[in-house]
Amino acid sequence: MAQSVGIKDVARAAGVSVGTVSNVINRPDTVATETRARVLSAIDRLGYVRSESARQLRAGRSRIMGLLVLDMGNPFFVDVARGAERAARRSGLGVMVCNSAESVGEEAEYLSLFAEQRVRGVLLTPADATGRNIDSFRRHGIPFVLVDRVSEGTTECSVSVDDVAGGALAVQHLVDAGHRSIAYVSGPPGFNQVRDRRTGALDALAEAGLGPEHLRELPTERLDVAAGRDAGARLLGLADRPTAVFCANDLLALGVLQAMYAAGVNVPDDLAIVGYDDIEFAAAAAVPLTSVRQPAVTMGALAAEMLLEETEGDGSGHEHRRVVLQPELVVRRSSLSAR
């Protein structure tokens, strides 16, 4: 096994002190041109790479922020990560992206890893609805910002979307199109987003003078395409099948769409479908999907900027705040039936 090259090896090859090599790396203007060239030649020849982790340990400040999301298979979170990365890179930081896979246990393990690595801070979309993982992580004193989640019961910063308003947008659109029997494919009930979107859906029904019995909920264990296909199969088995379905995210909606296509059910004439997130695949589906758009890239960037603000200097000028962005309905063919 090849041994790593250290700063002492570079100093020996260049015939200078360790301190001189350190100056060439960190303060090159303080070293004579000829000496600097000799050290750089030795670095290149030996393939020396400085230990960033050791430098950060001495400085007491990491150049890495953690990002822990529910599902990196969901393009929504890819966009969140893209926004966070852009903001971090402008400040010379990198982003360590981890995927909890909607698992409370995996979330706890990754939060422990972030603490071990002494990251600058963490952007977190929690999988644990009880908040126990957050409470445990808070003891390490590492700043964090909640993403796609309102900071209820906490003092930390958060960036989220008004999911109550988003759910209302989706169902108001369906009611305006003439639908009076609507299914809600909701996902795991423990997620705040799922509950808030249902609340918005019920609000829209109430505004139209319709009671909660006009919304039939079909919960799923996960928020992915396979869970959507399963929900679609259950929907097909209903004797009094609703004429429209609102899904808690686009992956569920795409799964429902697949199930309808396989069963020969016409979308949108036999069943209108509305998703949530407006991921890239929504517009590219066989039947372009109506969806509630979340500004995912903006959400990730804002969260990273808030974390950077909190961790710059001693953070004394930082004030925790809660940012709530507004969703937007993007209408496409999947909900445009002639009723």
Side-chain angles (χ1 to χ4, degrees):
M1 181 182 294
Q3 294 183 341
S4 61
V5 177
I7 194 170
K8 291 182 180 179
D9 300 310
V10 174
R12 188 179 305 112
V16 298
S17 67
V18 169
T20 298
V21 176
S22 179
N23 284 337
V24 169
I25 294 170
N26 298 298
R27 295 176 295 278
D29 293 342
T30 66
V31 182
T33 302
E34 182 180 343
T35 303
R36 186 167 68 243
R38 193 163 69 249
V39 171
L40 291 174
S41 176
I43 288 174
D44 183 62
R45 187 168 67 254
L46 297 175
Y48 168 75
V49 178
R50 69 174 177 174
S51 174
E52 182 65 16
S53 60
R55 187 190 71 81
Q56 292 173 8
L57 189 63
R58 289 191 298 272
R61 172 155 302 199
S62 172
R63 292 179 57 240
I64 299 295
M65 69 170 62
L67 171 62
L68 181 55
V69 300
L70 292 175
D71 180 13
M72 278 306 293
N74 186 338
F76 166 75
F77 288 111
V78 175
D79 286 342
V80 169
R82 184 178 297 118
E85 183 183 28
R86 288 176 185 173
R89 289 188 65 181
R90 285 196 295 268
S91 294
L93 272 67
V95 179
M96 179 192 298
V97 181
C98 297
N99 175 29
S100 71
E102 301 176 18
S103 164
V104 173
E106 290 190 36
E107 176 181 84
E109 291 176 6
Y110 278 124
L111 289 174
S112 294
L113 174 64
F114 289 151
E116 291 171 6
Q117 295 297 316
R118 300 176 65 175
V119 296
R120 174 77 65 92
V122 174
L123 309 178
L124 170 65
T125 303
D128 181 12
T130 70
R132 283 192 290 266
N133 281 344
I134 289 178
D135 289 340
S136 178
F137 182 70
R138 191 181 282 112
R139 292 179 299 185
H140 297 289
I142 298 174
F144 63 89
V145 175
L146 299 180
V147 183
D148 195 30
R149 183 67 52 85
V150 176
S151 56
E152 295 176 351
T154 71
T155 60
E156 286 80 15
C157 291
S158 68
V159 183
S160 63
V161 167
D162 188 340
D163 284 315
V164 174
L169 283 173
V171 171
Q172 180 183 340
H173 168 67
L174 292 172
V175 169
D176 289 346
H179 298 281
R180 296 297 181 266
S181 178
I182 301 170
Y184 176 43
V185 178
S186 60
F191 289 161
N192 289 346
Q193 299 96 320
V194 167
R195 295 197 300 269
D196 287 349
R197 292 166 196 177
R198 180 179 184 273
T199 297
L202 292 172
D203 288 349
L205 289 174
E207 182 70 21
L210 301 172
E213 68 276 8
H214 290 267
L215 187 73
R216 179 175 297 189
E217 186 167 1
L218 297 174
T220 62
E221 293 184 358
R222 296 184 62 81
L223 290 160
D224 55 22
V225 174
R229 284 196 298 267
D230 175 71
R234 283 183 280 153
L235 192 64
L236 289 167
L238 296 177
D240 53 342
R241 190 166 69 209
T243 61
V245 57
F246 166 44
C247 299
N249 76 2
D250 284 343
L251 296 184
L252 290 172
L254 291 171
V256 171
L257 179 61
Q258 289 179 5
M260 296 304 111
Y261 181 82
V265 174
N266 183 278
V267 175
D269 292 337
D270 297 328
L271 183 75
I273 301 177
V274 176
Y276 204 105
D277 290 339
D278 195 34
I279 62 176
E280 183 177 356
F281 298 137
V287 180
L289 184 66
T290 294
S291 184
V292 178
R293 176 178 293 166
Q294 296 199 82
V297 174
T298 299
M299 195 183 305
L302 282 173
E305 289 165 3
M306 292 163 76
L307 187 62
L308 289 165
E309 179 185 288
E310 183 175 358
T311 57
E312 286 177 354
D314 59 6
S316 59
H318 175 76
E319 293 184 4
H320 291 308
R321 63 189 188 275
R322 178 186 297 181
V323 176
V324 181
L325 304 173
Q326 292 303 308
E328 173 190 359
L329 182 70
V330 181
V331 178
R332 299 191 181 95
R333 184 165 167 259
S334 71
S335 64
L336 294 179
S337 58
R339 299 191 69 82

